[in-house]
Amino acid sequence: MKIYLIILSLALSFALEAQDLVFSTHSNYPSKIIDSLNNGRIEPSQARAKLISYQSWAKRKGKVSEAIDTYYYLPWTFYAEANYNEVIKTYQKGIKEALEFTSTPINTIRFKLLSDLGSLYLVDNNLVENLSMAYQLYKSNIEIEKSVPTNLLSLLNNYAYYHQLNGDWEQSVIYLKEAQRIGKTYLKDPELLSYVYRNLGRAYYFLNQKTETEKYYLLAVQTSREALNKAKGLYDLGILYQETNRPVKAETSFHNSISTITHSGFAKKPLGQIVVQRNQLGLAKSSISRGDYNSALKKVLLVKQNPISVLEQLDAILIQLEIPNHNLDTLYEAGLVLSNTNLTNYTSISTNHTTAFLYKKAEKTKAISDYQNLVNWLSHVRQNNIGSQAKFRVSAEVHDLTSEVLKYANTQNAFEFLELTKAAELLEINRRINIKEPFVKELAHLDRKISSLSIKATEYGLDSTLSLKIRQAQIEQSILSQKIKKENPTYYQENYFWKPAETEEIQKKLKPKELLISYFMDETDIYIYVIKNNKKGIIKLQKDTEFDNRLLSFINNISLNPGLGVYNSNSEAQFFYSKLIEPISDYLKGVENLTIIRDGLLNILPYEVLAYATDSYLLEKYSITYNYSSTLTLEQRVKKHLSDLTNILAFAPYTNQGWTSSLFRNKSLGQLPFSDSEVNQIDGTVYKNENATKIKFLENYQKHGIIHFATHAQMDDTDPSKSFIAFFPDSSDYKLYTEELYNLSLKNTQLVVLSACEAGGGRLQKGEGLMSLARGFAYAGCPAVITTLWKANDQSTAWLSERLHHYLSKGWNKAKALRQAKLDFRASDIGQEFDHPYYWANFILIGSDEPLEMTFWQLYKWWLIGSMFIILMLIGVWRNKKF
């Protein structure tokens, strides 16, 4: 045994001596390991193991500086794996160890770690303070600029760029001037210095100091030895000369830039091609400024061989120039020929001139195909725009185009364009919910991240830190979208270039006694498209000038609390019946169920109150369902949502005044005493008062088929993202905002009942519909929402909710159950007392009208129980006879 221990000891000693020999004889060992990693000779995990081994050796030998300096190299092994969390942790660990020492070498290492960690502020803006700490450390230790000038120059560049992002160009110049001094004093690398000069030129450009801009752009070109950097600098000069009205110098710079790339190894590389392409555009722009349009088009034709499409290049030129209309037409027509209207290759986010270009051709031809090209382009731009507001603007443009199309479209084309104006954003997200591809989870994660940051901005204001984080997440989202486009073209095409459902497809899904009605309104006309299972048609009506104002007045009359006042709007109810329903009377024969796709102000009108005669509401004739588009209606009908209806999830946070002692309460949210009886009649999991928290909802909502809210909701018509559903105020985070709803997963939920104030109201968004809390649940994948359009009366809402659940439990269709609940209310004593549409008409169904799917036990439990009882009785009778 002793011999084995001696041999083991000798082997260990030999190994340690060998390690000493390797580490001590190889100067700057960590740097060489990273070189091997960058050259692909070793894997990141191998490099990490070698560096950790080296660090252990350095600590054992008492080489403190070498051990801590290893933290400067270790993060690169995580960079190679794109593991930014570990990169940050490693830097932070090194900084913490370096703080235990105050020697100059250790301070230099700490400076490097702080500087590199600070450079990650684009990943996490909280890290920017490390740039400041590194800068202060440099100012207090003059030796740093002598020992690590390259790191210092990098720090100053990064700090300058941070200030540029925040629009502080003066501060940026201060740091870049300091970087210039360091580069000229200590560094022999012309490219680093050229980079500083170019950044200085850019800063002076935005400070509108054109003389200084030219000076530093020229220095960047003269200093650089690399073709690509020199070519970029020449291009910058060309743009500057154009803007300062020196066309000859501009064209010379563009030609020299192209020549520099052409005679270098970058000529066939993507980056080189992009630089050449930009210069060609610069030359084309110069030709246009001289009025030489033929020459401009020839130069644009050269651009055609490069990755970005011709129309985008024309767009890039036109967006900066004032061109006479007749010459603009020439460019548009030439662009059509060059591009062959290949719209699906577009990547530009800018829409103004490209849209105008396509619109001009459609306007000339009056051809449906040209309008379809324009709509395809807008749909593509909508997908490449980051942020809902940009997408909504494009949807509004499509809505406006439809007015033009409907003037000469046939019935089929008219319906297709009507559908293109309806809730495209909602349809995209609804389709994504049911995709099982792994990248969908990543998309959802980024959606949640952006939503979370947006909520913080809503609560505390949008500062530069939050803005930067949101933008970074949006960039990640854009990169992922392009990755999906490349790796999953089928998914991308189906979900972002969707086609509306065809009428024949919809007719097959309609029930025999059902009528689908889709409305479209522009400034002068109302279009009504109607579809039955055996009939379809489009009806055009002229809108009188007071239609919109009269409609708003009518909605105000039925949505404002009348107390016990008498209903006096029956004549208006009959007027709007004559405008919206009577024109389609031929289609109403034999119909019992209406599915209504509304538009514009019609989104806030409950059709149930329209009167076909005095005191005779549409409610009495039809069950009514609303939806955002016909295509969405069709898709919701093929989905299956099976869940246990015996366990409904309900929330009622305000049945008593328990919330008044909370530090986080909102004084405008008062007690809802009837919400107590409203949820007590629900057979399921019920949370009331202090138990009805947002946390409880988030923990439990995916386990239930029906979710019922008997609480407050507030709508913000100016900014829908600030609208919320209120839970018990146990913390500052007790409001469920619209943005958060978008990122719930309700694909297993059959129905949400929003028995809450004005949850179905909100801002009207042209082309998308009503931006309400109810819509948020549809975004999350819930096929049906029963919601309120205006501030609900607590007592009548509780009454309607009880009857609604009663009929749903019988297996009735949702619309039929809701209609019968309203009819019961009107016939009841309370309904006779509150005889006004305010008390019952605001409760509407949006989405799927399919009956709730029940489990086998729910469907047949009473039959099974009855059968078992009869069997037991027969057994008892048999036994009695036997004995």
Side-chain angles (χ1 to χ4, degrees), residues 57-295:
W57 170 82
K59 286 180 178 179
R60 194 171 65 252
K61 291 292 184 180
K63 297 176 179 289
V64 177
S65 295
E66 287 85 343
I68 295 176
D69 195 41
T70 308
Y71 287 112
Y72 176 70
Y73 297 96
L74 270 170
W76 290 97
T77 67
F78 293 112
Y79 265 124
E81 297 169 336
N83 189 344
Y84 292 105
N85 285 334
E86 287 302 321
V87 169
I88 293 167
K89 285 180 185 177
T90 307
Y91 277 131
Q92 289 173 335
K93 188 175 180 182
I95 292 165
K96 185 178 179 181
E97 288 193 20
L99 281 170
E100 297 174 10
F101 303 91
T102 56
S103 67
T104 297
I106 301 293
N107 279 332
T108 301
I109 295 166
R110 185 156 64 93
F111 167 81
K112 291 196 301 180
L113 295 171
L114 285 167
S115 176
D116 275 22
L117 180 57
S119 70
L120 292 171
Y121 69 88
L122 283 174
V123 175
D124 183 348
N125 195 57
N126 292 323
L127 299 173
V128 76
E129 65 181 32
N130 291 283
L131 290 178
S132 176
M133 288 190 285
Y135 186 74
Q136 295 304 320
L137 188 59
Y138 145 64
K139 283 298 186 183
S140 62
N141 292 269
I142 196 65
E143 292 297 318
I144 285 175
E145 74 174 51
K146 297 177 183 177
S147 55
V148 284
T150 303
N151 296 83
L152 177 56
L153 188 140
S154 174
L155 165 73
L156 294 168
N157 259 320
N158 273 313
Y159 219 178
Y161 184 59
Y162 171 75
H163 287 288
Q164 287 177 6
L165 287 175
N166 289 282
D168 191 349
W169 297 98
E170 291 91 348
Q171 193 66 31
S172 171
V173 166
I174 293 171
Y175 291 117
L176 288 169
K177 286 276 191 175
E178 202 164 353
Q180 178 188 357
R181 179 185 68 79
I182 297 297
K184 291 178 72 173
T185 305
Y186 298 104
L187 299 176
K188 306 298 182 185
D189 189 335
E191 299 314 316
L192 282 175
L193 198 52
S194 173
Y195 182 70
V196 172
Y197 288 143
R198 193 159 173 242
N199 278 346
L200 268 167
R202 183 170 178 266
Y204 280 119
Y205 175 87
F206 283 98
L207 288 168
N208 203 29
Q209 296 182 31
K210 298 298 171 65
T211 303
E212 290 295 300
T213 302
E214 182 179 1
K215 169 187 168 182
Y216 283 103
Y217 278 170
L218 280 168
L219 279 171
V221 171
Q222 292 162 4
T223 305
S224 178
R225 298 291 179 268
E226 288 187 3
L228 187 60
N229 289 337
K230 189 180 284 289
K232 287 179 180 178
L234 286 164
Y235 171 75
D236 290 339
L237 276 169
I239 294 295
L240 178 66
Y241 290 142
Q242 273 187 340
E243 292 183 4
T244 51
N245 200 25
R246 289 179 279 179
V248 176
K249 278 195 166 188
E251 292 195 24
T252 301
S253 289
F254 291 139
H255 281 301
N256 287 342
S257 180
I258 292 171
S259 176
T260 301
I261 288 292
T262 305
H263 293 93
S264 74
F266 286 100
K268 294 183 180 180
K269 294 181 179 179
L271 283 175
Q273 288 179 359
I274 289 171
V275 174
V276 170
Q277 173 180 276
R278 287 176 179 169
N279 281 288
Q280 293 286 7
L281 288 175
L283 289 167
K285 185 177 174 182
S286 293
S287 297
I288 290 173
S289 65
R290 294 197 309 270
D292 188 353
Y293 297 101
N294 288 330
S295 175

Side-chain angles (χ1 to χ4, degrees), residues 817-878:
L818 182 58
R819 172 177 176 259
Q820 192 58 52
K822 291 178 180 180
L823 291 173
D824 289 355
F825 175 82
R826 295 197 64 224
S828 68
D829 291 341
I830 184 176
Q832 295 294 312
E833 184 180 359
F834 298 122
D835 186 18
H836 193 290
Y838 167 81
Y839 294 100
W840 56 265
N842 66 331
F843 229 18
I844 64 168
L845 166 65
I846 304 174
S848 169
D849 179 35
E850 298 299 306
L852 297 170
E853 293 190 27
M854 301 187 183
T855 60
F856 182 84
W857 171 250
Q858 289 168 325
L859 285 170
Y860 301 109
K861 65 179 178 182
W862 295 115
W863 185 89
L864 291 171
I865 290 169
S867 298
M868 289 174 66
F869 180 73
I870 291 169
I871 290 169
L872 288 172
M873 282 183 63
L874 290 172
I875 291 171
V877 171
W878 177 75

Side-chain angles (χ1 to χ4, degrees), residues 19 198 206 219 326 448 546 598 611 635 658 712 721 826:
Q19 191 182 59
R198 193 159 173 242
F206 283 98
L219 279 171
H326 64 281
R448 283 192 294 273
E546 287 301 307
R598 298 170 292 177
E635 294 197 358
H712 289 286
S721 67
R826 295 197 64 224

